[in-house]
Amino acid sequence: MNSFIKANPSRCIGCRTCLISCVVAHEGRDLFELGYDDYKFNPRLFMVKTSMVTAPVHCRHCETPACKSACASGAISLEGERVMVNANKCIGCKNCVLACPFGAMDIVETGQVLPDGQPRRVALKCDLCAGVADSPACVRVCLTDALELVTDQELRDEIADKRRAAVEGGYFPASI
Amino acid sequence: MTTRQTQTTCCYCGAGCQLLFTTDIEANKILDVHPVKGRTNDDKACLKGWFGWDFLNDPQILTKRLRAPMIRKGGKHSPLEVVGWDEAIKFVADNLAKIKAKWGPDSIMGAASARGPGNEPNYLMQKFMRACVGTNNIDHCARICHAASVAGSRQTIGEGAMSLSIPEIEDAQVIFNIGYNAAASHPVVARRIVKAREKGAFIICADPRITETARISQLHLPLKGGTNLALTNGLAYVIIDEGLEDKAFIEAHTKDYEAFKEIVLSYPPEKVSEITGLRPDDIRLAARRYAGSRSSVILWGMGVTQFSQGVEVVKSLCSLAMLTGNFGRPSTGTGPVRGQNNVQGTCDMGVLPDVFPGYQSVADPEMRAKFAKAWGVKALPTEPGLQLTRVPEKVVHEKDPAKRIHAYYIFGEDPAQSDPDLAELRETLEAIDFVVVQDVFFNKTALYADAILPATSWGEHEGVYTSSDRGFQRIRKVVEPFGDIKDDWEIICLISTAMGYPMKYKNTEEIWNEMINLSPKFAGATYEKIERQGSVQWPCFDKGPADKGTMYLHKGGQFATPDGRGIFKTSHYHPPTEVENNEFPLTLCTVREVGHYSARTMTGNCRTLRNLEDEPGWVEMSPRDCQALGLSANELVRITSKRGSVITRCLPTERVRPGAVYMTYQWWIGACNELTISSLDPTSRTPEYKYCAAKVEKIEDQASAEKEVRRVYTDIRSSMGIAQEGLSA
């Protein structure tokens, strides 16, 4: 199974340290030397606050990604334990944005300029910090431990624990 | 490349987080910053800790660093000219001396800094004002935030600080959180509240908004703004009425209980319900839960203090803790959590009009004699000085020139952004004969300065900060400063010396040693001990290694009052000064933006923090009020009070009640203090930032409003001395 990041709303305080850490991880620390408008502030997770819930929304790295099925240019693929967007192939058609049931996909300006002078816009989402950090930056900086990387093994262990608890908890009568 | 690792204390909020910097020494460049284990933060930091150091690079987004002294040689309204230090010091010293000679020492006001400079320059600043100028007119921005907590706590329990420590919060059984939004003010403290909840604490959150703490609380009391005192008196009523008070504690450790009881017994839950809008049963439940534990903690913030009854509510909260015996053990007591990194320290240093360092009263002849002897002067001023919120009253509203303030020496503050009723404040600065601004950045107050003295920033100097829970911690130099700038303590020494009162120190440690030797509560907290322990919490009386400092106050019910007894106090409730009316039907309350800090000169110049939230800021409104005005999210709106009018962006949220609107105070365009009222608490003189009447209006032509916001932003930057260039707002 693919890995994904789980948010715990009873711990999240909505501070958005995770959003900035995502930008810094992907833009690189050089951004602190660039002109203040010479980098892109495009977090790949989104803080949501409703009346009683606070939590960031990330890509779930679905096993059958609706975004991938909907992609018109073959830009979305499964790589290792992740769903990835290839920005070079993306044409910005927004099918993935419509298809994603979580709202985890965004369309952003890349900083590149098209031949007609228009800014190039592509799909962007969580890549679990593939190639930019050893572990997801958002998980590392979260000060209330509200974010957790869930891997295939952890998910299997959790399922196994629950099944054991179900048996021991007497959900099944000993004799019928 | 040679790299160096330096640990220092974060420069934002009073949580006192420890950060480790890695720098490239040759390039004088910061390579990495991350939190490390400290007493209060474990190894965590919030977004300001992780990313808030970027202003040291001076990216000039909102304003820019000062790099050389500047003076107006041709008097008011003449241009600021760059000069050398000798000329700048002489200019300031001569003008202050002239004003002192003509109008007397009490015509000079000093405002010191709760922010970057640290304790040592603040100690020198009050010494300069008292010993050299000869006045107690010295104050700082605690006046506009937690002065009510200092005053109210000292009058009841004798000590104006958190009685418990930040780490103890997570082991409380009950947390009564009132007027305090930890998630926005101190994320690292919010973490302790989250942990307490997970460990099984019962959380009561009294706040008109659904804050993050309210969201995870078991009991949210969404009281009407400005009714805190009715609620706290009501809680005391229930506790006494149901016999839940700690009779043995009251008998053994307190006094004036009968007078307190007489007042609170006129606040039965049904009456309190009418005032606050809360259900009587919720008030009863809160009282029972609070009184029902031996580890009950009260946490409060600006939602208590920034009202004209702020001091009364603080006294009443301290009395609630005494009433239930919730003092003197771990994980219990009172927690006014301080907003700025060193606002506790600046109070500790005696940068208050009524006390010397270590909270020793200026009215006490013995104390005056002790300090006069140590400072080598014949006598020190006897009368308590002026609070900084009263400066406008003593300038624009004072008819007798002999009683006016004629000079204002402002060090590390920006009253032209942070004080209430900014129009009146600007008029005040304009009218004062001589204004000195000593700062790191060009700011709004600097526009009115006759002399500007550039100082080193946090990260460029050594010293000690005091965290909110009385913890002395070291700050260290991370990078070398550049430009013709000096450490704050050095500048103050130069001015004082030029005015005929020589001050000379080798380093901050020498200043610190002079201070602790005059302040019994801090006497044991040497640099050596602070280095060794990482943090020393006052009181720490003895220099020996056995006295490690004090985790929680009032052990065994021994209060810091003259006779050791806590004093019960409260008052009758009255409504806020300016209430909503037909013309201004909404109540405006000012709140905090988590990624920005104070007047925003620092965080507004950090690339990522600025990208997360930028001008013109937000007004939070209930969806019902938005609907009535036809407003949608992100739309620019006009918000107006009797005193001013600004543009900001609409943020509809179910977390606020209809009829109430909230603005974050860090914005220069959406500057809410153009609207706030300068109505003051009669004791603490803290302004009523949390309540005034306002109206919100729809702007039909959004395109030109957006253009206007961009134009104002450009104008602000240009007035701060930044060359014209594009800025995407």
Side-chain angles (χ1 to χ4, degrees):
Chain A
M1 276 178 279
N2 295 336
S3 300
F4 65 99
I5 293 165
K6 186 178 85 175
N8 180 347
S10 56
R11 286 185 177 173
C12 180
I13 58 167
C15 69
R16 293 169 294 164
T17 311
C18 49
L19 269 68
I20 299 184
S21 77
C22 177
V23 173
V24 175
H26 289 89
E27 290 288 311
R29 294 194 73 83
D30 288 351
L31 81 84
F32 294 111
E33 281 154 55
L34 299 175
Y36 48 81
D37 273 341
D38 294 344
Y39 77 100
K40 290 292 168 197
F41 190 85
N42 292 325
R44 294 159 186 248
L45 67 167
F46 311 93
M47 184 58 67
V48 179
K49 296 183 185 183
T50 65
S51 64
M52 289 308 281
V53 179
T54 299
V57 171
H58 286 81
C59 168
R60 302 295 291 196
H61 296 272
C62 302
E63 300 302 315
T64 313
C67 57
K68 179 174 177 285
S69 313
C71 181
S73 61
I76 299 178
S77 60
L78 281 160
E79 289 175 27
E81 291 169 347
R82 304 177 164 93
V83 177
M84 297 289 280
V85 178
N86 182 339
N88 292 326
K89 286 190 183 172
C90 177
I91 57 168
C93 74
K94 300 173 281 288
N95 273 355
C96 57
V97 176
L98 294 172
C100 176
F102 300 100
M105 191 70 82
D106 202 3
I107 299 286
V108 300
E109 283 185 15
T110 59
Q112 293 167 298
V113 182
L114 297 171
D116 66 356
Q118 291 299 306
R120 179 155 184 266
R121 295 191 180 89
V122 298
L124 188 81
K125 67 166 197 68
C126 166
D127 59 1
L128 299 173
C129 285
V132 300
D134 298 335
S135 60
C138 56
V139 177
R140 190 167 76 96
V141 300
C142 179
L143 83 166
T144 55
D145 298 317
L147 297 175
E148 186 190 345
L149 176 69
V150 184
T151 62
D152 176 64
Q153 191 56 50
E154 280 161 346
L155 202 57
R156 286 183 195 283
D157 290 349
E158 194 176 323
I159 295 168
D161 285 349
K162 280 188 199 163
R163 287 176 185 153
R164 205 173 301 115
V167 175
E168 287 176 347
Y171 297 125
F172 303 102
S175 58
I176 297 169
Chain B
M1 183 168 72
T2 326
T3 60
R4 179 182 53 209
Q5 292 205 314
T6 316
Q7 186 177 326
T8 193
T9 305
C10 181
C11 60
Y12 299 109
C13 106
C17 300
Q18 294 300 301
L19 304 174
L20 187 69
F21 280 72
T22 306
T23 45
D24 172 345
I25 298 175
E26 288 97 22
N28 197 30
K29 194 175 112 177
I30 296 163
L31 301 173
D32 181 61
V33 183
H34 65 263
V36 288
K37 197 162 172 52
R39 183 179 59 78
T40 56
N41 71 309
D42 284 343
D43 54 356
K44 307 288 184 187
C46 74
L47 65 174
K48 296 194 288 294
W50 276 97
F51 306 110
W53 49 273
D54 190 20
F55 73 89
L56 288 170
N57 294 323
D58 197 16
Q60 306 194 357
I61 303 170
L62 177 65
T63 173
K64 68 178 190 181
R65 285 290 298 273
L66 295 165
R67 299 294 186 197
M70 289 185 276
I71 60 172
R72 292 188 206 276
K73 287 186 189 175
K76 291 254 171 221
H77 306 293
S78 71
L80 281 166
E81 291 175 61
V82 171
V83 293
W85 275 101
D86 290 349
E87 189 177 351
I89 296 293
K90 188 174 178 333
F91 183 73
V92 172
D94 286 354
N95 274 290
L96 292 179
K98 224 181 334 181
I99 288 166
K100 182 183 162 181
K102 186 168 179 192
W103 302 107
D106 288 338
S107 68
I108 302 177
M109 176 78 198
S113 178
R115 297 168 61 187
N119 283 326
E120 294 85 344
N122 278 294
Y123 168 76
L124 286 194
M125 183 69 179
Q126 60 84 36
K127 179 179 173 181
F128 165 72
M129 292 302 292
R130 292 187 162 118
C132 176
V133 177
T135 177
N136 282 316
N137 287 349
I138 176 72
D139 202 4
H140 73 289
C141 66
R143 188 65 49 207
I144 56 175
C145 61
H146 262 302
S149 301
V150 177
S153 299
R154 286 180 67 208
Q155 287 176 34
T156 48
I157 56 177
E159 207 76 90
M162 282 180 73
S163 82
L164 78 164
S165 310
I166 290 167
E168 291 173 57
I169 294 169
E170 70 175 71
D171 292 313
Q173 287 167 15
V174 174
I175 295 175
F176 176 39
N177 183 101
I178 174 166
Y180 176 46
N181 183 7
S185 311
H186 314 92
V188 161
V189 178
R191 171 176 172 265
R192 301 285 180 177
I193 299 173
V194 170
K195 290 186 84 157
R197 175 75 167 86
E198 291 193 347
K199 288 182 175 183
F202 188 86
I203 298 176
I204 305 157
C205 182
D207 200 304
R209 285 194 300 172
I210 303 172
T211 58
E212 297 302 337
T213 307
R215 202 171 64 73
I216 63 164
S217 69
Q218 289 92 331
L219 179 59
H220 178 206
L221 303 175
L223 76 175
K224 179 169 167 47
T227 64
N228 289 334
L229 194 54
L231 171 64
T232 54
N233 282 342
L235 294 173
Y237 174 98
V238 176
I239 291 167
I240 296 169
D241 184 52
E242 300 191 3
L244 306 171
E245 73 276 26
D246 185 338
K247 293 183 186 73
F249 188 92
I250 296 167
E251 180 64 31
H253 304 297
T254 67
K255 60 185 183 188
D256 295 354
Y257 173 60
E258 289 305 322
F260 170 81
K261 187 173 164 183
E262 199 185 311
I263 294 178
V264 300
L265 284 186
S266 50
Y267 291 85
E270 282 66 25
K271 179 177 162 187
V272 174
S273 169
E274 281 171 28
I275 301 169
T276 59
L278 299 171
R279 283 191 293 265
D281 280 351
D282 283 348
I283 298 165
R284 286 194 184 92
L285 176 60
R288 286 172 199 147
R289 294 306 295 237
Y290 176 73
S293 123
R294 300 293 286 161
S295 297
S296 289
V297 167
I298 307 177
L299 298 177
W300 73 85
M302 303 293 94
V304 160
T305 60
Q306 287 177 343
F307 281 107
S308 58
Q309 276 197 302
V311 175
E312 299 310 317
V313 179
V314 171
K315 288 186 208 165
S316 147
L317 291 169
C318 293
S319 297
L320 273 177
M322 287 191 276
L323 184 65
T324 54
N326 271 306
F327 270 123
R329 295 178 304 276
S331 296
T332 183
T334 48
V337 194
R338 310 299 297 254
Q340 289 178 313
N341 58 302
N342 198 40
V343 68
Q344 184 63 51
T346 308
C347 293
D348 295 348
M349 293 305 108
V351 181
L352 293 169
D354 58 342
V355 288
F356 291 117
Y359 304 96
Q360 303 171 90
S361 174
V362 298
D364 181 342
E366 257 180 65
M367 291 304 134
R368 281 202 307 274
K370 175 173 95 171
F371 280 92
K373 190 175 166 220
W375 292 345
V377 290
K378 278 200 209 90
L380 287 164
T382 54
E383 290 298 308
L386 190 69
Q387 299 93 344
L388 65 80
T389 41
R390 293 182 65 200
V391 171
E393 172 196 326
K394 288 286 182 186
V395 178
V396 289
H397 302 299
E398 177 59 64
K399 290 197 173 61
D400 181 359
K403 290 183 183 162
R404 273 187 209 148
I405 293 295
H406 291 272
Y408 199 176
Y409 182 174
I410 302 162
F411 146 47
E413 287 217 0
D414 192 2
Q417 168 70 10
S418 57
D419 285 13
D421 195 351
L422 289 179
E424 186 188 54
L425 203 275
R426 285 190 291 265
E427 195 189 330
T428 302
L429 289 171
E430 190 75 47
I432 295 176
D433 301 338
F434 190 65
V435 177
V436 183
V437 164
Q438 177 173 320
D439 211 292
V440 171
F441 283 101
F442 203 97
N443 60 26
K444 282 169 138 180
T445 309
L447 293 170
Y448 300 88
D450 298 278
I452 295 179
L453 306 173
T456 53
S457 158
W458 166 85
E460 297 169 347
H461 56 225
E462 301 282 325
V464 174
Y465 287 170
T466 316
S467 64
S468 178
D469 58 354
R470 299 169 280 103
F472 295 130
Q473 304 190 112
R474 282 295 316 273
I475 51 160
R476 296 179 182 88
K477 185 191 270 194
V478 172
V479 288
E480 288 301 321
F482 67 96
D484 194 12
I485 67 179
K486 290 181 188 297
D487 284 353
D488 286 297
W489 63 268
E490 241 187 301
I491 302 172
I492 297 164
C493 286
L494 289 171
I495 293 173
S496 188
T497 305
M499 285 179 71
Y501 180 77
M503 285 198 207
K504 198 166 170 49
Y505 297 89
K506 286 196 294 287
N507 51 37
T508 52
E509 187 172 6
E510 198 184 349
I511 303 167
W512 183 259
N513 287 338
E514 176 179 316
M515 187 283 294
I516 58 175
N517 289 331
L518 285 165
S519 311
K521 279 176 192 164
F522 314 145
T526 59
Y527 263 41
E528 188 270 328
K529 195 182 283 186
I530 299 171
E531 294 279 357
R532 185 159 34 86
Q533 291 184 196
S535 177
V536 176
Q537 288 176 277
W538 65 257
C540 178
F541 297 99
D542 191 82
K543 292 193 170 54
D547 189 349
K548 292 185 164 45
T550 310
M551 190 172 89
Y552 57 87
L553 301 175
H554 318 306
K555 198 169 187 175
Q558 185 68 26
F559 289 97
T561 49
D563 63 0
R565 282 181 173 264
I567 307 160
F568 275 100
K569 279 189 169 136
T570 190
S571 296
H572 284 288
Y573 161 79
H574 68 70
T577 313
E578 182 182 271
V579 295
E580 51 277 35
N581 51 54
N582 282 343
E583 191 185 354
F584 300 106
L586 302 166
T587 64
L588 167 68
C589 175
T590 69
V591 295
R592 234 185 269 251
E593 178 65 56
V594 63
H596 285 293
Y597 182 67
S598 286
R600 212 167 110 257
T601 45
M602 292 151 82
T603 52
N605 286 304
C606 292
R607 292 168 180 82
T608 56
L609 297 175
R610 168 251 168 173
N611 277 110
L612 191 67
E613 289 296 345
D614 201 3
E615 299 284 357
W618 303 96
V619 56
E620 288 185 15
M621 298 177 67
S622 78
R624 207 176 82 188
D625 287 336
C626 290
Q627 207 178 9
L629 290 162
L631 303 174
S632 48
N634 294 327
E635 187 171 334
L636 289 169
V637 295
R638 175 161 292 285
I639 174 158
T640 308
S641 80
K642 259 187 198 170
R643 290 154 294 277
S645 180
V646 297
I647 292 180
T648 188
R649 250 176 242 288
C650 174
L651 178 65
T653 168
E654 294 130 338
R655 292 186 179 192
V656 311
R657 298 151 60 100
V661 300
Y662 295 80
M663 287 175 83
T664 44
Y665 71 77
Q666 285 95 352
W667 309 109
W668 292 26
I669 298 173
C672 56
N673 286 330
E674 299 288 351
L675 316 177
T676 50
I677 187 167
S678 59
S679 160
L680 306 176
D681 179 285
T683 309
S684 71
R685 305 286 178 173
T686 302
E688 196 154 58
Y689 286 118
K690 296 294 186 199
Y691 209 98
C692 74
K695 65 175 173 187
V696 173
E697 291 163 296
K698 188 177 176 72
I699 300 175
E700 291 303 336
D701 187 351
Q702 285 289 304
S704 52
E706 292 285 356
K707 223 167 110 185
E708 175 67 5
V709 167
R710 282 196 295 275
R711 186 192 64 76
V712 177
Y713 207 155
T714 310
D715 284 357
I716 288 172
R717 299 179 72 241
S718 133
S719 69
M720 295 295 116
I722 302 173
Q724 291 302 319
E725 55 193 283
L727 186 99
S728 54

